[in-house]
Every structure is written in C-alpha cells, then in structure tokens.
C-alpha cells in the first residue's frame, strides 16, 4: 500500500503573468499519493492556469515544480506524460474527424505496426467498460458524430488508459459537466477506486456537492492565490462559497426568488417529440421557465434544435409564435466565433438592428456590448478583445448576452451552465427570472438537478420522448430520477 503522505507533486511559489494580468501569485500546492484533491474557485481564479503549468502546456514565470521529490528544470508536456501526469481539460481535445480508437492512439505512440487499430480499440473499449458500464460507444465511432456527453466519456476513459508510460496523477477539469447524474456517478465511483489503488486525482468542479462528496482534501483558489486548504470534512457548502469570495446566502435568496409567482401569458411554443407515442407534448407560455430533464442523450437537445428549426418555417408537431434564440452548452463547437471580438460575438444575433445604410454601425455594436457587459458582468477591460481572451464562464455570459440582447422572446438553453462557477450561475439565474418576469419564455435543458428549482415546471425525457410533466409542487430529485429510468411503453 502506498504511503498516503508521500508527496507526488510539490509546487512552490508558482507565478504566471499574461501581460499586466497576474494569473498566479505565488501558489504553493502539494499533491500526495493516494488522494483526491478537490480544486475549487470562481472562473478566473487561476485553477486552469495552474493545471496548465502542472501538465507542461504553460511555463512558469517563477517558482519550482517537483515531481516525486525531484525538481524539474525543463518541464514540458512530454516530461509530464513520462512522469505519469495526465489531464482531461474542460474544453475537450479529441480530434472530431478521427475514430475513438484513432484518438486513443494519439496518446499511446507505442501502439504501432500491424494491428495497432485493433490494440487501440481493445484498450479504449476495456477502459470505457470499466468506468462507464453500458456506455454504448464503439471504438470505430467517429468522435464528431458522438454527443458531447459521449465525447466527454471518451476523453475521460482515454486519460486512464495505460501502455508503456506510468499513470500516477489524473487531473479532471469539470469531468462531469456534460454527463447526466447516472454517468457522473459511474465516473466518481471509478475515481474513488483509482485513488484507493494508491494513485492520485485532482478534481476541479463547480458542483460543490460533487467535490465535498468525493475529495479527501479541498484547495480553494481566489485571484491567483490559494486562500484555503484543508481536509474535505472541515468544509461544508456555505464555507466553500464563502472561501471562494461569494456569499452563501445568495443561493438561498435565489432559491426563494425562484418560488415567487409571475404573470403567465398565452402559449408561444407547442412541441411534440418525434418519438412521442401518446398525447404528451411540451407546452410553454409567455413568462414561463420550462425545464427539460432526464439522462443525457434522451431527446432533450433534439427537441430544442427542432424547435429552433421550426422558427424558420413549418415543422410537423411544432408550433412557435415568437422569435427565438439559442444559448449553446458546447460553446466551442456551437456557440462562439473564435476569430471575433467579444462585442461582435454578442451583436451577431442583433445585426439587423445595427445596420445603418449598407453597413453595420460600429457605434451601435459597441453600445449593445457595453450595455450587456454591465448588466451581465462580463469581466474584461475591453469588449473589443478576442472572445477567447475571456474565461469559460465569461464566454458563456457573452452567449447569454447575445440571446438576451436580441429581439428573441423565446430563449432555448441547451445545458448552458456546464463548467460555469457558482457566482456566474447565480448572476445568470437572477437575470433569467428578471427576463421571465418581463414576459420572455425559457426552455432550459440542464444536467444539473439543482437548476430545475428555478423552473416553473419540468418535462422529464426518456428514450426520446416526454415521460413526465412535473409542476413546481411535484418537483423532487427522486421523481426526476425515477422518471428518467422509466421504460418507454
């Protein structure tokens, strides 16, 4: 059995600057063998920068990195891999045009010669079976054809595969952000087994219950510094939020506000899933916040996209009576325009209102961006900066600003809060309720059960169809889970 106090990783006085921005300010961090460390903090706290340094993708500005007692002078990605350090980044790194097996080969150059495809396929299939029993992913599947949840499963499983290089530490950056509760539970169970075998994990998650329930030790970062570090048993949810720089009471206020009543208007959306075999259909009225729940990949996103397409013309089984906008959850693939500024990313949905003569008015574009920067609290010194200069949470805020700054009266949300910190979530929840009070309608698919508390009622999906319609009074986590596993009849 590996000594639980053996130091695997030791970071001392680590600093990193990006121009005038100090991303890391003298960070000290130890990772012991045989432990799961929960790393928490708001978007922009420095977590991802620190993990990029630990994996060798960024060089330190100052400070030292020691692995297994040896100081690393020329640390790099290849050196980190050779030392047994892997990472599953929040923004997935799979090649979409390659198969699952071919993506696995990228991480294992020792798989070569005749039959390497078969070996790679067997390697990833075995690990998928071990972590996600019943996953239904074939090694020959093209990654780009998989849902984002299944892509995340492949990314995670690939990180735990082993050939000739050792595996001692796996960094999981928001590993469950695109997974439903059942699949997330499978992963976290595996993490505990992995750690129990003497290996180590760093778990980065904005789901505080996930960290509290699975980490042995918790490290809190704020403004590029470690501000708290202790055994997980020392923390509770309120203490974590307070350490991160938030106020725990805000969550309670938000929950109470969600229970208030608002004036509901006429029906603006009727939608019947293509696989529905009974009379059940989604009905949304002006001013309502409608939740879509159930295990991932059971038709929630399909229905949102069908509604989106129906706004541009007739579609069987769907009626839409007002303009709409979509807030994508997979912001890198379906949300942002990576070559554009923040302001232009926000303004693209409102381009007709910004045209003056034959040209787009840069003044109107700037005014729209400035108004929504202030209202939704996008953290940047200049809205003309590239969208990729923002943290993940602030990129997601820009997508909300795009939708809410437009003329859309119906806002479709495809699990938009994945990987977003709790402070950003609370700001957006408040904004959604405010906009619903003004008559806007929200159709909100979420894999986070807690978010359903913000909804007026919830449709639960299973097997591509709606299997339950739960009012606020009926809504419990138990009912959602039970309905999620009901067999289609």
């Amino acid at each position: 059995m590996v000594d639980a106090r053996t130091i695997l990783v030791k970071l001392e006085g680590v600093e990193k600057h990006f121009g005038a921005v100090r991303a890391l300010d003298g960070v000290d961090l130890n990772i012991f063998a045989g432990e799961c460390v929960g790393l928490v903090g708001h978007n922009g706290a420095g977590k991802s920068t620190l993990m990029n340094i630990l994996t060798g993708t960024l060089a330190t500005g100052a400070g030292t990195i020691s692995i297994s007692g040896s100081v690393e002078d020329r640390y790099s990605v290849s050196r980190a891999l050779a030392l047994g350090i892997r990472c599953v980044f929040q923004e997935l790194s799979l090649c979409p045009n390659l198969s699952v097996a071919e993506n696995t080969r990228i991480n294992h150059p020792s798989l070569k010669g005749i039959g390497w495809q078969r070996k790679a396929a067997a390697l990833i299939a075995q690990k998928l079976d071990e972590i996600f029993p019943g996953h239904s992913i074939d090694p020959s599947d093209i990654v780009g054809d998989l849902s984002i949840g299944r892509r995340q499963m492949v990314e995670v499983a690939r990180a735990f595969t082993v050939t000739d290089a050792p595996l001692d530490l796996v960094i999981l950056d928001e590993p469950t952000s695109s997974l439903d509760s059942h699949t997330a539970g499978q992963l976290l169970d595996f993490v505990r087994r992995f750690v129990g075998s003497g290996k180590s994990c760093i778990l980065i998650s904005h789901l505080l219950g996930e960290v509290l329930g699975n980490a042995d030790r918790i490290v809190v970062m704020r403004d590029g510094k470690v501000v708290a570090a202790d055994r997980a048993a020392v923390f509770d949810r309120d203490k974590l939020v307070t350490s991160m720089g938030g106020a725990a009471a805000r969550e309670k206020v938000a929950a109470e506000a969600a229970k208030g009543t608002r004036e509901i208007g006429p029906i603006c959306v009727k939608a019947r899933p293509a696989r529905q075999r009974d009379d059940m259909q989604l009905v949304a009225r002006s001013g309502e916040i409608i939740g879509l729940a159930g295990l991932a990949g059971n038709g929630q996103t399909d229905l949102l996209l069908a509604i989106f397409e129906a706004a541009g013309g007739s579609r069987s089984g769907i009626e839409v009576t007002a303009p709409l906008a979509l807030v994508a959850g997979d912001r890198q693939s379906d949300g942002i325009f990576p070559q554009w500024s923040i302001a232009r990313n926000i303004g693209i949905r409102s381009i007709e209102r910004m045209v003056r003569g034959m040209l787009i008015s840069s003044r109107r574009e700037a005014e729209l961006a400035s108004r929504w920067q202030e209202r939704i609290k996008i953290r940047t010194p200049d809205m003309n900066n590239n969208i990729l200069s923002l943290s993940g949470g602030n990129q997601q805020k820009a997508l909300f600003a795009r939708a809410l700054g437009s003329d859309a009266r119906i806002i479709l949300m495809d699990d938009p809060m994945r990987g977003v910190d709790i402070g950003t979530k609370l700001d957006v929840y408040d904004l959604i309720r405010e906009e619903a009070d003004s008559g806007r309608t929200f159709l909100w698919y979420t894999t986070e059960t807690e978010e359903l508390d913000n909804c007026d009622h919830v449709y639960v999906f299973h097997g591509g169809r709606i299997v339950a319609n739960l009012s606020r009074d009926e809504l419990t986590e138990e009912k959602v889970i039970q309905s999620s596993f009901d067999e289609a009849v």
Side-chain angles (χ1 to χ4, degrees):
M1 182 68 180
V2 177
D3 180 2
R5 304 309 297 172
T6 299
I7 297 179
L8 178 64
V9 172
K10 188 177 187 67
L11 304 179
E12 295 181 284
V14 173
E15 296 183 8
K16 186 65 179 179
H17 293 74
F18 296 101
V21 177
R22 177 175 289 182
L24 295 176
D25 187 9
V27 173
D28 296 332
L29 177 67
N30 291 340
I31 305 297
F32 296 96
E35 72 167 352
C36 178
V37 175
L39 183 60
V40 300
H42 292 316
N43 286 113
K47 306 184 304 298
S48 294
T49 301
L50 188 64
M51 293 303 99
N52 276 300
I53 284 175
L54 182 52
T55 55
T57 56
L58 281 177
T60 61
T64 60
I65 301 173
S66 301
I67 310 296
S68 298
S70 177
V71 175
E72 297 293 327
D73 293 324
R74 294 186 177 182
Y75 199 61
S76 63
V77 173
S78 59
R79 180 61 177 161
L81 291 173
L83 292 169
I85 297 174
R86 310 255 185 96
C87 184
V88 176
F89 290 103
Q90 181 180 345
E91 307 299 349
L92 303 184
S93 62
L94 299 173
C95 298
N97 59 319
L98 299 181
S99 71
V100 172
E102 289 166 340
N103 270 279
T104 304
R105 164 63 178 77
I106 293 172
N107 278 27
H108 297 284
S110 63
L111 297 176
K112 55 188 176 182
I114 297 173
W116 72 261
Q117 294 98 330
R118 174 179 50 79
K119 294 176 184 177
L123 185 67
I124 191 64
Q126 185 275 330
K127 194 56 65 175
L128 282 166
D129 290 342
E130 184 180 357
I131 303 175
F132 305 108
H135 54 81
S136 73
I137 299 171
D138 192 278
S140 64
D141 289 340
I142 300 300
V143 164
D145 295 336
L146 299 176
S147 67
I148 187 171
R150 285 185 167 80
R151 276 182 275 156
Q152 190 153 31
M153 292 162 69
V154 172
E155 183 101 31
V156 167
R158 184 177 70 163
F160 285 97
T161 54
V162 178
T163 49
D164 56 337
L167 180 61
D168 292 315
L169 171 65
V170 177
I171 302 163
L172 299 170
D173 191 354
E174 301 293 343
T176 66
S177 60
S178 297
L179 305 181
D180 57 59
S181 57
H182 174 67
T183 312
Q186 290 179 322
L187 170 57
L188 295 171
D189 286 344
F190 173 80
V191 167
R192 294 309 313 167
R193 298 196 302 272
F194 181 75
V195 170
S197 71
K199 307 299 184 180
S200 304
C201 273
I202 298 175
L203 174 61
I204 303 173
S205 178
H206 292 304
L207 302 179
L208 301 187
E210 193 170 270
V211 175
L212 289 166
N214 294 280
D216 301 301
R217 191 160 54 92
I218 296 177
V219 175
V220 183
M221 293 189 67
R222 184 170 74 237
D223 299 328
K225 300 178 181 180
V226 171
V227 295
D230 212 328
R231 293 175 297 108
V234 171
F235 293 92
D236 60 19
R237 189 179 182 86
D238 286 355
K239 185 174 180 179
L240 271 184
V241 173
T242 302
S243 299
M244 290 162 59
R250 286 194 63 197
E251 289 187 273
K252 298 175 183 176
V253 171
E256 289 302 315
K259 296 176 183 177
T261 58
R262 68 176 64 88
E263 184 176 344
I264 303 301
I267 294 173
C268 57
V269 177
K270 285 185 179 180
R272 177 185 171 90
R275 298 181 62 180
Q276 199 75 33
R277 297 195 296 273
D278 53 26
D279 294 332
M280 185 86 76
Q281 65 176 336
L282 181 150
V283 177
R285 297 175 179 273
S286 298
E288 281 191 312
I289 304 174
I290 306 298
L292 281 64
L295 299 182
N298 275 268
Q300 304 94 327
T301 297
D302 292 340
L303 187 60
L304 287 179
L305 294 178
I307 293 170
F308 186 76
E309 292 171 2
S314 61
R315 187 181 176 108
S316 176
I318 298 178
E319 298 177 22
V320 180
T321 64
L324 53 76
L326 173 68
V327 182
D330 187 358
R331 56 181 170 268
Q332 297 302 319
S333 297
D334 305 322
I336 66 170
F337 293 90
Q339 302 301 318
W340 289 5
S341 68
I342 305 164
R344 184 147 296 179
N345 265 276
I346 291 173
I348 185 63
R349 176 60 178 78
S350 304
I351 197 165
E352 290 182 359
R353 289 188 289 143
M354 294 189 298
V355 171
R356 186 171 62 183
M358 298 293 291
L359 301 174
I360 297 174
S361 168
S362 57
R363 178 182 59 81
R364 293 177 183 176
E365 182 180 75
E367 288 174 350
L368 176 68
S370 177
R371 183 164 66 251
W372 280 94
Q373 178 187 15
E374 180 178 353
R375 189 169 179 198
I376 206 168
K377 302 181 181 70
I378 298 174
R379 297 181 60 182
T380 180
D382 189 345
M383 293 295 280
N384 289 316
N385 286 343
N386 184 275
I387 186 75
L388 296 180
S389 68
L390 298 178
S391 67
N394 280 285
Q395 288 180 30
Q396 204 66 29
K397 282 185 176 183
L399 297 187
F400 272 101
R402 177 194 299 169
L404 298 176
S406 73
D407 64 350
R409 302 305 301 164
I410 303 166
I411 310 297
L412 310 178
M413 304 194 301
D414 185 18
D415 203 15
M417 301 295 192
R418 69 180 196 90
V420 174
D421 69 82
I422 191 168
T424 298
K425 287 179 180 179
L426 291 172
D427 289 340
V428 175
Y429 297 162
D430 290 343
L431 188 60
I432 288 172
R433 287 191 297 273
E434 182 182 335
E435 291 294 313
D437 288 341
S438 72
R440 266 182 161 152
T441 302
F442 292 85
L443 302 185
W444 185 353
Y445 167 46
T446 175
T447 53
E448 298 182 28
T449 306
E450 291 180 357
E451 291 191 333
L452 298 175
D453 291 335
N454 293 283
C455 301
D456 297 308
H457 62 96
V458 173
Y459 292 96
V460 185
F461 284 68
H462 178 84
R465 67 185 186 92
I466 298 170
V467 295
N469 180 8
L470 304 177
S471 67
R472 184 188 297 283
D473 294 338
E474 300 173 299
L475 183 61
T476 64
E477 185 173 3
E478 291 74 17
K479 283 190 176 182
V480 171
I481 293 173
Q482 182 180 5
S483 300
S484 298
F485 283 94
D486 280 347
E487 292 297 326
V489 295

